[in-house]
Amino acid sequence: MSLATNAVGWLNEGLASFFEGTRILPNGTVLMNMPADHRLFPLAKRMREGWMANAQDGYDPNDSKSEPTKAPTMRIIIENRYSWGPPWYAPTWGLVYFCYNFQDPRDGRFVYRDAFWEFVQRSGGKTGDSAVKTFEEVVLASPRAPYDKALEGSFSLPKTVEELDAVWKDWILKLADERSGRLDEPRPYKLWARAAAGGKDYATAREHFEKGLVATPGDTELLLDFADLLAERFKDTDRAAKLVLTALQELEAAPAKNDVEIAAAEKRLEKLDPNRRSVTKVVERLKRDVVSLVGRYQAAGLDAMVQDLAWRFGRGFDVPELFAQYEGAVRARASKPGASELAIWELAYDERTLEGWLPGSDAFRPEGVTLVAKGPSYDPDSFTYQTLTLDRLTAGDFSLEAEVSARREGASFAGFLFGEKGSGRFHGALFLPARAAKEGAARTAWVDLMTSFGGNETKAWRHLPVDDGEREGSSTGAWNTMRVDVVGTDVDLWWNGELLTTHSFPDRDLLLGRLGLVVGNGEARFRNVRFLARDPRDPAGRILRRLRVEALAARGEPVGGSYQGLAPALPSVKRWAQGEFSGFDNVGPVPQLLVLWSIDQNNLVPIDAWLRSLAETWRDVGLRIVSITSPNDDAALDAYLKTHPFPGVVGVDLRPDGTAGIGQTFDRYFIRRFNLPRLLLIDVDGRVAWEGDPGFAMGETYSEPYDTYLDAPLAELAEKRKLRALAAWRKRWERVGVPALAAADLATALPLLRDARAFDASFDPAARAAVARLDLLEAAASDLAATGEAYSAQGAAPAFQLFVKEWLPILGVEVPKEAKKAVAAALKDKSIAHYERALKGATKAGKAADFITAVTAYTAELEGLEGLFPAELASDLRAGLAANDTEALRATLASAADRPRAWLATRLIGE
């Protein structure tokens, strides 16, 4: 019986939507089952709102368009009790997708997949309590066992659907964050695949290898392991040979070649492809001839020919060394005036027809050199859009460029879409012409880098002010050149030849898809529409991008007024009205927000309440807010702050007496161009991570929860730098770690030392010091023979004895077989026995009736003992005797046994 006929209600809907975008082999094996974003994001949004109390919660039976705002629980779905229409697929898809894809994070096994398929077959027409009972008995009671028996019982799983709700919600929200780019958490597909293969779950191993191949295509170990699996378990020697060939090319292109690995890969390839040897000879001869040819052009100084041939042959024949010559030629040509890029762009619009574009929207029509796009009547508050999509799919790096004309109050937006996957899922680079301005406000045009997830779910990653070139009174719209470059996971957005911003996505898959044009309400025009598509293995895009970034960085000044990626300019202020400011680089590992504002602006577009909420929301990571207001506000500022309090530090911009202008800081940050408020988010490395405005409209009232353009970049920064975890670690470090180090309590300090490695220690002194101490500890433990020899040479063999017997077990290190002889010799050092005699003497002297006489005699005995610690003890006792300080003498004797521990702590984990 087929799934479609056997399953009913929610299960039928969920299975139908589950198989969208699924890659299945003829034998039924599912290789890739990517999330349906247009279902994922609506479900995640409802889950954030909470759970429905019952099947009718939030549903109006008298309104055919009614939809609940919250998410149904698993019980509501499985019982098939919800009744709104048309059928809402998102929750049913979410439940099926979860059951199929939920994994144990340690070995990557699909916990419920097999049991869920059994449930599908057994569910029949069950609804209500019987369906829930069957689900719990079949799915929850029969999770797949770990591949390694050592993991059994260490991963707690829900027993009821009520308990499963929290797990499902957490999994869906995390998946949504990954797909949106908010969370960058690479998955260990290679390790999971190996675990599955070890557990003889070969279909799952293949699925993990397929996904790993997409995520890390240059991982040679993954390529070779996958090839072995295909050849041995699936008899697919053809594809296995291709994977080994790819691995071989990666190994040969590596900066440090490993001849052993290359020879092993060649041997595998010959076994899989008996004709490989003869083909190799031909290819090697071609490579030699090509390298020689390019070398001759290089010697002749013909850089354009070197660049062209190195690119063509390097890509066509997989000769990685040619790309070094390619880069050298590009650099040489860049220094020559008038040199242009040699990459061949394709004209997307032939100025006559729409040939090469997919049929669909009739909003676009050719009109000579201009491509006219006309949507519904102009409405700046609507996200209604029309698209024109190229009949091309991108597999490698690509660029899209066009001249765009969209008049103020004539079009809501116009621009590009890319990474389009259907059902309203795409990324967009949108030009938003300046709107009509209310009195007291400037007219500003914007360019947004955004994502539409489908289901009316959108997110703007960057919101950047631009000069649209249109002048008051003009009867024609200005033309502006937009360009998008996608290189790997990076998206560069250009406006009239200037780099506006760069945004990195966590997964290359998110950027692949179709590309084209998009227009909102109103009318816009395009001309000179062209695109450049590169082969997936072509590194030219990466090389050219690196050179562009280097050139911009060399300028060391804002490009087009943007501080993106640069250290922010220090504000010049007349006075600090609130708090103290000593620079952006003296605050520790915390994000900072520079806010440029004025009282007039805040009365029109209030931001004070939002900033207070923002400071409270990010208090745990130490967000520091520095705001600078207009020089015009100096006299009124103190009184204004009492009724409109701003968090953090507040200063008044400097305008020297007798001069005109908007203020030195406002000039430095190009306020005439960007207007107020202007925000700059400063990363913990001291560079600007994002700049823009919060996105509030004039005259509107906003309240919590706020939704601003700053949200995504701030959350992205916090996730990237692990700021919340770092802040929590720093508190534990100060409260627990530092005292433990002072007491040489390694057992308490070690977990915190190891946790420090999870953070980027380059910008946090505390984490840097912790990592350095752990490095010293591990270095001492990694070469015990050398450590024992060094300690003995210093007379500190008792410290080595403590290190071996007490600290090595805490570190989880055993003495290796090859070091046992040297360690045993170090532990027989005379200074250890002499120190033990010293400790017995200290106890005896401390109990003597004639204390001073006993200590004097004991001090003389110590001078005859070998080793560092008896000598130090004797020195301290002599000082106490000279001062006739009985209390100091007793303290010295009492701490005699702690000297090796204190010595170790000072050298390994102390300050």
Side-chain angles (χ1 to χ4, degrees), residues 517-551:
L517 307 177
V518 60
V519 64
N521 292 345
E523 182 176 310
R525 295 170 180 265
F526 300 86
R527 69 185 184 192
N528 294 326
V529 184
R530 61 187 192 138
F531 71 99
L532 173 66
R534 300 187 186 276
D535 183 90
R537 291 184 57 80
D538 183 356
R542 295 190 294 275
I543 293 172
L544 291 170
R545 182 178 188 275
R546 183 169 68 247
L547 298 180
R548 285 196 299 268
V549 171
E550 287 177 5

Side-chain angles (χ1 to χ4, degrees), residues 305-316:
M305 289 298 296
V306 171
Q307 182 181 343
D308 184 55
L309 291 175
W311 171 69
R312 293 180 186 276
F313 289 130
R315 183 188 64 171

